[in-house]
Amino acid sequence: MAESASTPRQSCDALVIGSGIAGSVAALTLADQGVDVILITAADTLTRGNTALAQGGIVYTSDEDDPKTLERDILTAGWEQNFGRAVRFLCRRGPQVLRDIFLDKYKIPFNQRKPGEWYLTREGGHSLPRILYCDDHTGRDIMIVLCAEIERHDKIRVLTRRTAIDLLTTQHHGNHLDFKYNLDNRCVGAYAFNESTGQVETIMAKSTLLATGGIGQVYLHTTNTSGSIGSAIAMAHRAGVRLMNCEYVQFHPTALYGGSRRDERRFLVSEAVRGEGAVLVNARGERFMPGYDQRADLAPRDIVARAIMDEMLHSGDDCVFLDLSGIKHDVTTRFPTIYEHCRQIGVDMRRDLVPVVPAAHYFCGGVMVDNHGRTSLDRLYAAGECSCTGVHGANRLASTSLLEGMLWGYSAANDMAARMPRNGTASRRLSENIPDWVSHGCMQNEDPALIAQDWANIRNTMWNYVGISRTEKRLMRAFSDLRKLTKDLQDFYHETVLSKSLIDLFHGSQTAYIVTQAALRNKRTRGCHFRAD
């Protein structure tokens, strides 16, 4: 539904923060059950998040496949650090829900040989082809369909250019002593900054879902969109919500090298390219992955990323290359988006080697949730990349993220609807005792140069010290630097008039600090947390 007029205070049954696959599926599932939903996004459209960038596809199933085989592949990729119950839930329920809502209900245009007969591809870590795809723009096609459904739904109010600042909780924000003395704490909405008006809005909700995506932008090189700064991690942490596996940051092995400014995301060259037959070679044209792992170019991402970094360190080269000569398909039609991006930097995929480097790609940790998406704070849910379901363990298996986001968005929404109090959108007593935002900042001293420098400090620190390879000394240096920066920013945050850039910087610094502390605590190498010492 079109955005309603801006008011400083709004109420709803369910507040969904984030508009990717998890947030969109949740909003639609709630609305279809008659729940009044507010969906907020920091962007000016619903399609600006990471979901729309997903190229490879979404895990489904095939005639040769079964849940046990998929489960084994996920556990192997995750270094056996996965939560078995969550993995089984994904493997058994995921393909069923995908069929029900993406194939039958929303009719996502996945590639087909003929009606009802789907093309399936294979990616690294998978033992067989089981991945549905829409050429190399699967996420974009999924989001186009979901956004059209959201815009038509009269139970969903979409609020764009809203940046969530803080979660509202009864114990922290409730003015009445009955709330402060009560052992039961619950989430009752969020404060959100309206970038169009400069106001902070109070959004009261019976249930709230965090679906804000990943944290890639706290690193110097990333495939993630600009909004991927870990805002859900920072907000949940401040609200005392349990986090899990925050040291596990997956680096994608093959981001396109060249053609990007330092402050832009790197363009992803999908793992499906290797799944279709491409191989990694060094500057001399020699394959190197068979020397690192028996699965060679289709080894899990953490292994491939470290192998590439090792090759670059030993050779002194700035990148490695993908040799696509083994692909049987016409790459201009199988990978049209990647082909066009390569063409723009002077690389013809049909005959040239494609230069690639690793980049921060996916956050395997996050806000801890159960199979219903419930967090440790009552009435607060999380789904998608900002959550930690336990599915990925220490390393994500390719193309499981879209399936996980879809399934947990759907599961959380059903639980929220089932547990929804049937009285008004918020009790009068509670609403009267949750105050509107009070800004203590009075100084107009926000300097873009200072903010840019703080971001540079965060990103360089995380890339150099909390990156693909970590040591105690590097992590201690990062801990010391980020502790001081976070403290300084907290003081600056309270003194300065609020803005989106300031909120993002504050959330980003807190997220980087949280990841660093988790990495320091974990002394053992597992998956994408690699301790070189």
Side-chain angles (χ1 to χ4, degrees), residues 470-472 475 519-520 522-525 529-533:
R470 302 164 179 176
T471 66
E472 186 82 10
L475 292 171
L520 257 176
N522 191 347
K523 308 293 185 183
R524 295 179 58 188
T525 286
H529 173 60
F530 183 76
R531 293 292 295 257
D533 53 359

Side-chain angles (χ1 to χ4, degrees), residues 80-117:
E80 303 286 341
Q81 298 302 304
N82 323 66
F83 182 37
R85 186 182 302 170
V87 175
R88 288 189 293 275
F89 180 61
L90 180 87
C91 296
R92 285 158 177 74
R93 284 287 291 147
Q96 296 173 11
V97 174
L98 188 156
R99 182 173 58 250
D100 291 344
I101 66 174
F102 276 8
L103 300 183
D104 296 341
K105 184 175 184 179
Y106 297 132
K107 303 189 185 306
I108 306 295
F110 297 114
N111 288 25
Q112 301 180 66
R113 287 187 174 85
K114 58 184 181 181
E117 186 178 325

